[in-house]
Amino acid sequence: MKQHTVLIIDDDTASRVMLRKIIRDHTSFSVMEAADGRAALEKVFSADLIILDVFMPIMNGIEFYREIRQMEMTKQIPVIFL
């Protein structure tokens, strides 16, 4: 059985740490992290769920969301906006 993966994308380190702890303590999901949308584009293909901050430098959450919705391999990944 495949282990599911959550990709947390947030420029705030404390938020990423808190979300990672909650996910690891209460689910069997593995966790990947990125501090901005541009860095997350390299990791998104392994994600089963994305937790996405809207306000980030380099590539914000809305830009990232639009980008992944245009790609066939990523357009169906569920996204939770923060």
Side-chain angles (χ1 to χ4, degrees):
M1 181 177 204
K2 179 188 178 240
Q3 183 176 16
H4 295 287
T5 302
V6 175
L7 174 56
I8 300 169
I9 309 166
D10 196 325
D11 60 318
D12 182 62
T13 303
S15 294
R16 288 196 319 270
V17 168
M18 177 191 64
L19 287 166
R20 177 184 349 115
K21 180 169 177 29
I22 291 168
I23 292 165
R24 287 187 176 161
D25 288 353
H26 299 284
T27 74
S28 60
F29 283 36
S30 64
V31 177
M32 295 185 301
E33 299 176 34
D36 63 74
R38 182 74 57 215
L41 286 175
E42 299 173 9
K43 300 177 179 187
V44 71
F45 298 103
S46 301
D48 297 298
L49 172 67
I50 299 167
I51 300 176
L52 178 60
D53 183 23
V54 174
F55 301 106
M56 296 180 292
I58 303 173
M59 175 185 266
N60 70 42
I62 301 300
E63 293 168 330
F64 174 83
Y65 181 80
R66 287 181 181 149
E67 183 84 18
I68 67 166
R69 287 302 181 240
Q70 294 178 19
M71 294 185 276
E72 192 63 36
M73 292 180 61
T74 59
K75 68 181 182 182
Q76 297 298 323
I77 300 172
V79 176
I80 299 171
F81 283 94
L82 297 178

